[in-house]
Amino acid sequence: MIKDLDLIREVQKANYRALQKLDEICKKYHIQYWIAYGSLIGTIRHKGFVPWDDDLDVCMMREDYEKLCKVPKEEWGEDCLFLSGYDDDLRQDKVFGRIFQKNTVVQSRIDVERWKNPTTGKAFSSSMMCDIFILERVPYDEKKRKKIYNKVLYGYCRKYKLVKYEYVKKADSPVGKLKVLLQRAYGKWMRLIFKKPWVRFVKKFDKLAKNCQQGKRIGTFSCADPYTYNYD
């Protein structure tokens, strides 16, 4: 999290511009979305952003998300770019879509220490982004839902990043070093065997989520939100 309040304010202004572009496109293509989590709290309690919040959270139903993925790239203009999990662009490290601010560069300490571009060897870097969390119709059965949730969040999402980037985390213990070595080898092997190995995990995520499209309970498998909600 950013601690400089002046910098946070600049980030919030950029996030607001991204939200304006999203709103423009959603109105044009009849796509329904809503803000959520910290962004929703900021709207209600602060009539804007939470003063220390440096990101923007947007949700939409699976059917609306698929419409968004079909919007032509040129619609996003010169400053914004929408990338789904299928895209080659190395700024995108998630199975779900994000709106990126083209002319910005963002690096977190953890990502720099753990991930590298497998082609250039440069430290991981991205751009300022807005997450688009996909809301799915989820099973009523809590055990079944949690099983899918864990499979996506700790399986597909993790493997997506392992095969798209080079894992370079440093470990101190022998066991830790072995785990890093095995995960790095797995990523390299997948990149050698398959042209775009990360696409495999996005397809698995989409297929698994689409199999649950029934009922009136919704939730997301694409972020650490374990709750479900009523939806008509």
Side-chain angles (χ1 to χ4, degrees):
M1 179 179 286
I2 301 171
K3 295 183 179 180
D4 185 325
L5 292 181
D6 290 332
L7 180 57
I8 288 176
R9 186 57 187 153
E10 291 304 312
V11 169
Q12 290 174 344
K13 289 178 181 178
N15 284 337
Y16 181 67
R17 290 192 294 270
L19 183 61
Q20 286 180 307
K21 174 56 70 173
L22 174 66
D23 185 68
E24 174 189 320
I25 286 173
C26 286
K27 285 177 179 176
K28 181 175 181 178
Y29 288 90
H30 309 290
I31 297 170
Q32 185 177 8
Y33 76 93
W34 60 90
I35 57 172
Y37 309 124
S39 300
L40 181 59
I41 292 173
T43 301
I44 296 172
R45 191 169 67 192
H46 300 275
K47 310 304 179 185
F49 288 93
V50 175
W52 53 88
D53 194 6
D54 59 6
D55 66 358
L56 180 64
D57 303 311
V58 172
C59 292
M60 59 179 63
M61 294 298 295
R62 164 72 59 177
E63 52 267 32
D64 288 302
Y65 175 76
E66 291 181 350
K67 288 182 187 177
L68 188 69
C69 289
K70 294 176 182 177
V71 173
K73 297 284 187 186
E74 55 268 23
E75 288 279 20
W76 292 96
E78 296 181 359
D79 298 324
C80 293
L81 174 68
F82 174 80
L83 296 174
S84 75
Y86 289 95
D87 282 289
D88 299 353
D89 196 308
L90 289 177
R91 282 174 288 193
Q92 172 61 305
D93 66 336
K94 302 293 184 185
V95 296
F96 55 85
R98 286 166 150 181
I99 303 168
F100 291 86
Q101 304 268 348
K102 289 182 182 178
N103 301 316
T104 63
V105 177
V106 174
Q107 288 182 303
S108 73
R109 180 181 58 81
I110 292 177
D111 279 335
V112 167
E113 291 175 352
R114 295 185 180 183
W115 306 99
K116 282 187 179 181
N117 183 316
T119 304
T120 66
K122 292 182 179 179
F124 176 88
S125 67
S126 187
S127 297
M128 287 178 54
M129 81 287 288
C130 164
D131 293 328
I132 308 292
F133 296 119
I134 311 167
L135 270 292
E136 321 278 2
R137 296 185 185 275
V138 298
Y140 285 103
D141 188 297
E142 188 70 9
K143 288 184 178 179
K144 185 177 180 181
R145 188 189 66 79
K146 284 187 176 180
K147 185 178 180 180
I148 298 172
Y149 175 83
N150 290 330
K151 193 170 187 178
V152 171
L153 197 62
Y154 303 112
Y156 301 155
C157 292
R158 173 66 177 171
K159 289 177 181 177
Y160 179 95
K161 202 161 183 173
L162 277 174
V163 302
K164 199 170 186 180
Y165 308 91
E166 184 176 358
Y167 191 47
V168 293
K169 179 184 176 181
K170 292 182 179 179
D172 297 323
S173 70
V175 174
K177 289 179 180 179
L178 178 60
K179 286 182 178 180
V180 170
L181 182 64
L182 290 173
Q183 290 180 85
R184 188 183 301 166
Y186 171 77
K188 287 183 177 180
W189 179 79
M190 290 291 285
R191 288 192 295 274
L192 284 172
I193 300 298
F194 303 102
K195 187 177 180 180
K196 298 180 181 180
W198 57 89
V199 170
R200 296 170 61 85
F201 299 108
V202 185
K203 286 182 176 179
K204 287 183 178 182
F205 164 54
D206 288 346
K207 183 179 179 180
L208 190 63
K210 286 179 181 179
N211 287 338
C212 302
Q213 299 303 308
Q214 57 185 340
K216 294 185 177 181
R217 297 293 292 172
I218 63 171
T220 181
F221 301 128
S222 51
C223 74
D225 176 7
Y227 301 105
T228 62
Y229 310 90
N230 288 322
Y231 182 80
D232 290 322

